[in-house]
Amino acid sequence: MHEFDYRKAVALNEVPVLTAEALGERILEHVRDGWRVLAYFGLPEAGGDGAVGLCCVLAHDAEQRLAAARTAPLTAFPSLAEACPQVELFEREIYEEWGILPEGHPWLKPVRRSPDAPGGSGRDFYRVDGSEVHEVGVGPVHAGIIEPGHFRFQCYGEIILHLEIALGYQHRALMALLRPRAAAEPVAALRLAECAAGDSSVAHATALCVLRERLLGLGELSERCQRLRRAGLELERLANHCGDLGAIAGDTGFLPTSSWNGRIRGDFLNLTATLCGNRFGRGLLAYGGAAWGLSSEECADMAGRLAATGRDAAGSAKTMFASSSVGQRMAGTGQVTEALAREIGLVGVAARASGLPRDARFHAPLSSLPQAAPGPRTERTGDVFARAEVRRAEMEDSLTMVEADLDWLGRHPEDAAERERAHGMEKAALAQLPPQRLAVAQVEGWRGEICHVGVTGPDGDFLALRVVDPSFHNWTGMALAMRGGQISDFPLCNKSFNLSYCGYDL
């Protein structure tokens, strides 16, 4: 494995080419030593003759280091899924996209090909035998505006023995669309990245910008740019955490917070609209900078509205957590232990609620801006209560950071010289990408770590551009959290994870 600083791009010839067996051994060794798998994917050979090898990127959070290795083109490789469950889904994806067979994989189902698609899934759902065992299917069509996904429960009475989740109904081939555009039409690619998961537009756009900037070796951007980008990310976190706490309250039957947070979330979205003209943060990002700025008057206006909205959000959360009925309903529901979270590679709120300090704002910071807390907000119980509590604590931190950013931006209006430098940086960020490079961008979206990995070929075009949304890691955790619970726990547990269907169905 070639190890490198997470902020640097590396020459592709520095990434060692191993046999499939040796790559598997290195992955297992690194995972045993505290590394985790960020991305594992098919890497086409330059020249377009259809030959595809494997490439794996791992991260060591405490050391802020990445490691990568690859193989020559192949048609099969030994599966690691049983020895290293966090690669299970990656191996299925590799087979689905490239036809490279992970030999010995225990459950080689499609990742994004829905069961009722032409040709079928090729495999039925897992079934538990027993005369009193019954099966419950939910979806893919759900009530309201929820996206499509199928949930198949194996139950004994009300107790869930096994849950299998089938997605893919939202598959848009976004990564296939993104790869050629990201080099030749970077601005169009940025608009596509904002659609990867609509509630994480700022986070995915930030990841694509950072990936390009690292490939070009642009270094750290101006403090103004970093603060504008961070304000967008933290407002996105505030809006979604607020909405999630309201949804969790609703599923415990606690209507005050459920109702209040619907309105408060809208206020956070409106603050984002003031920042960039769009409530979901679309159009905020530009390569090498930010497409929008704020005047001192706008900063003062936003700061006042942020303070008022923050007070409302804190009061709503305090009321919710003070309710004994809400606390009892959340405690012990949908538990994921720290050991299980580590084994399957959970990220984001779900990982931190189980005790894993995984937060890219700390292990792969995008800038040297001070954080609001000394480290990631973690809990130990891994249940709905813990996932709600992590959200509540992170909202306090996000409010502190946006407040600091607005204060700095209000006191430092942009002058002509700075505008000129920013224009030069944005122009440099649109240059032709260098050939034969590999770079990684890790951005802590509100749901968890978003990872974009890019590998360029001899002409500077992308050989591979992989987008890993936190939902790709965490749907497995959601399924395992339901084991031993009751079907009536499912809506509440589902809200506490709040995973993305389209973010998974890329």
Side-chain angles (χ1 to χ4, degrees):
M1 287 274 182
H2 176 67
E3 296 185 17
F4 54 102
D5 186 297
Y6 75 95
R7 292 161 293 197
K8 304 294 184 184
V10 295
L12 194 54
N13 60 15
E14 294 180 41
V15 179
V17 179
L18 309 175
T19 65
E21 291 76 12
L23 177 63
E25 290 171 6
R26 299 294 181 279
I27 293 172
L28 294 178
E29 288 171 2
H30 276 69
V31 170
R32 280 196 294 270
D33 290 341
W35 296 68
R36 62 190 174 90
V37 178
L38 278 185
Y40 191 22
F41 52 93
L43 180 61
E45 285 286 285
D49 61 357
V52 179
L54 302 177
C55 183
C56 185
V57 179
L58 298 104
H60 195 294
D61 297 338
E63 297 181 1
Q64 299 188 336
R65 301 280 292 172
L66 302 178
R70 56 188 172 132
T71 72
L74 40 66
T75 57
F77 62 102
S79 170
L80 302 178
E82 292 195 13
C84 181
Q86 57 184 290
V87 305
E88 189 267 345
L89 201 54
F90 285 116
E91 290 185 349
R92 287 165 53 187
E93 184 185 55
I94 289 167
Y95 180 63
E96 182 174 72
E97 290 195 19
W98 303 105
I100 303 173
L101 179 65
E103 294 173 326
H105 191 287
W107 198 242
L108 196 56
K109 291 188 69 169
V111 176
R112 301 187 177 97
R113 189 181 305 144
S114 57
D116 48 2
S121 69
R123 278 182 182 266
D124 200 355
F125 288 88
Y126 183 83
R127 288 196 167 184
V128 179
D129 289 332
S131 59
E132 297 184 31
V133 174
H134 64 280
E135 186 175 85
V136 178
V138 177
V141 179
H142 302 275
I145 57 170
I146 191 172
E147 293 178 305
H150 182 69
F151 302 82
R152 188 72 66 95
F153 297 88
Q154 306 291 310
C155 302
Y156 179 76
E158 275 291 311
I159 304 300
I160 298 168
L161 303 176
H162 178 74
L163 166 60
E164 190 166 348
I165 301 171
L167 302 175
Y169 300 92
Q170 292 284 87
H171 182 39
R172 298 152 290 162
L174 186 132
M175 283 189 281
L177 292 169
L178 196 58
R179 186 180 58 80
R181 287 173 174 80
E185 305 172 75
V187 176
L190 191 56
R191 301 288 87 81
L192 267 178
E194 291 175 337
C195 301
D199 54 19
S200 303
S201 294
V202 179
H204 273 288
T206 302
L208 189 63
C209 286
V210 170
L211 180 70
R212 186 177 188 85
E213 290 152 9
R214 287 178 179 169
L215 282 167
L216 288 165
L218 295 186
E220 188 161 320
L221 307 184
S222 70
E223 183 168 355
R224 176 178 310 284
C225 165
Q226 297 293 355
R227 288 191 180 273
L228 285 166
R229 287 184 176 187
R230 187 172 77 168
L233 280 168
E234 297 307 321
L235 284 171
E236 193 169 72
R237 193 180 323 279
L238 282 164
N240 284 288
H241 279 5
C242 178
D244 285 348
L245 287 179
I248 291 169
D251 275 351
T252 64
F254 191 71
L255 296 184
T257 297
S258 173
S259 303
W260 294 334
N261 280 27
R263 190 270 298 170
I264 299 168
R265 172 177 174 271
D267 290 344
F268 284 126
L269 293 175
N270 290 337
L271 282 163
T272 304
T274 302
L275 178 64
C276 66
N278 183 283
R279 299 175 84 224
F280 297 98
R282 295 186 178 185
L284 171 64
L285 271 290
Y287 297 107
W292 291 71
L294 290 172
S295 67
S296 297
E297 294 75 17
E298 288 170 329
C299 288
D301 169 64
M302 286 184 67
R305 291 160 54 198
L306 180 73
T309 307
R311 281 194 299 272
D312 290 350
S316 179
K318 182 179 179 181
T319 304
M320 171 183 170
F321 280 90
S323 167
S324 58
S325 64
V326 173
Q328 288 174 6
R329 185 69 185 89
M330 295 192 297
T333 302
Q335 286 183 295
V336 178
T337 66
E338 180 178 344
L340 180 59
R342 191 185 306 279
E343 186 177 10
I344 61 178
L346 283 190
V347 297
V349 169
R352 295 191 284 278
S354 295
L356 295 181
R358 289 179 180 169
D359 187 330
R361 292 175 293 178
F362 295 91
H363 63 246
L366 300 174
S367 71
S368 55
L369 295 177
Q371 300 286 343
R377 297 284 193 166
T378 59
E379 293 289 322
R380 305 298 301 179
T381 53
D383 53 8
V384 173
F385 190 98
R387 291 187 280 275
E389 178 58 30
V390 168
R391 285 181 170 87
R392 188 199 60 75
E394 291 186 350
M395 286 184 68
E396 292 179 0
D397 297 341
S398 296
L399 284 165
T400 300
M401 286 188 280
V402 179
E403 183 182 40
D405 292 338
L406 292 174
D407 177 66
W408 189 94
L409 290 166
R411 290 185 290 105
H412 297 82
E414 188 177 31
D415 57 26
E418 192 176 4
R419 269 196 295 276
E420 186 67 24
R421 286 195 297 273
H423 179 69
M425 182 66 88
E426 291 172 17
K427 188 175 178 181
L430 291 173
Q432 174 73 32
L433 293 174
Q436 306 281 70
R437 308 287 287 179
L438 181 151
V440 180
Q442 298 160 267
V443 175
E444 190 67 21
W446 66 271
R447 190 178 273 119
E449 181 187 69
I450 287 169
C451 179
H452 289 203
V453 181
V455 182
T456 59
D459 53 4
D461 288 343
F462 279 103
L463 289 174
L465 177 52
R466 305 307 301 177
V467 176
V468 185
D469 187 85
S471 297
F472 188 83
H473 296 284
N474 287 4
W475 273 113
T476 302
M478 164 67 198
L480 296 176
M482 292 307 304
R483 286 188 177 179
Q486 299 192 351
I487 285 191
S488 56
D489 293 335
F490 173 62
L492 178 61
C493 193
N494 198 20
K495 296 290 193 309
S496 72
F497 277 87
N498 193 11
L499 303 177
S500 173
Y501 297 75
C502 66
Y504 178 96
D505 291 346
L506 293 171

